[in-house]
Amino acid sequence: MAVIESVKEAIGLGDGAAPASRQAMSEARLPLAYRDSCANLLIPLNKCRHETWYLPWKCETERHSYEKCQYEEFKKRVAKMDEIRAAKAAADK
């Protein structure tokens, strides 16, 4: 288990196993910063982009699904941070 997955599990953001395997991410040559829970959507998006010479109107569905996944992960992090802040505020009183 990588450090990021263990930290996510510790704070309650982990979903268990990552949807894309490390080998698949490595074969797709994803940068380390993009190897997250949405990597399974980024791999086909990058493949589509490469095959269509990055034409912006070609890979709309793949891009939308990847951006939605990123947004949902962001909302989970914000909700968890709000929960942590509320618990800290309750403990300080």
Side-chain angles (χ1 to χ4, degrees):
M1 181 180 288
V3 174
I4 292 174
E5 284 95 12
S6 62
V7 170
K8 282 185 175 183
E9 287 294 327
I11 63 171
L13 288 177
D15 296 334
S21 68
R22 290 183 186 189
Q23 182 179 3
M25 290 186 278
S26 179
E27 289 171 359
R29 299 173 56 193
L30 289 182
L32 292 176
Y34 294 96
R35 296 184 185 192
D36 57 6
S37 60
C38 298
N40 60 327
L41 299 171
L42 182 60
I43 293 170
L45 173 60
N46 283 345
K47 184 177 180 183
C48 178
R49 285 175 171 169
H50 180 70
E51 291 171 353
T52 59
W53 292 297
Y54 287 83
L55 295 173
W57 59 87
K58 290 289 187 175
C59 305
E60 288 177 343
T61 57
E62 292 90 346
R63 183 174 50 93
H64 178 70
S65 61
Y66 175 70
E67 288 175 351
K68 183 176 181 190
C69 180
Q70 288 289 317
Y71 178 64
E72 293 296 325
E73 286 296 315
F74 169 74
K75 287 194 328 187
K76 285 181 188 177
R77 289 191 307 269
V78 168
K80 188 64 177 178
M81 194 62 203
D82 290 341
E83 184 181 310
I84 291 171
R85 285 183 183 136
K88 185 176 185 234
D92 288 343
K93 288 185 179 181

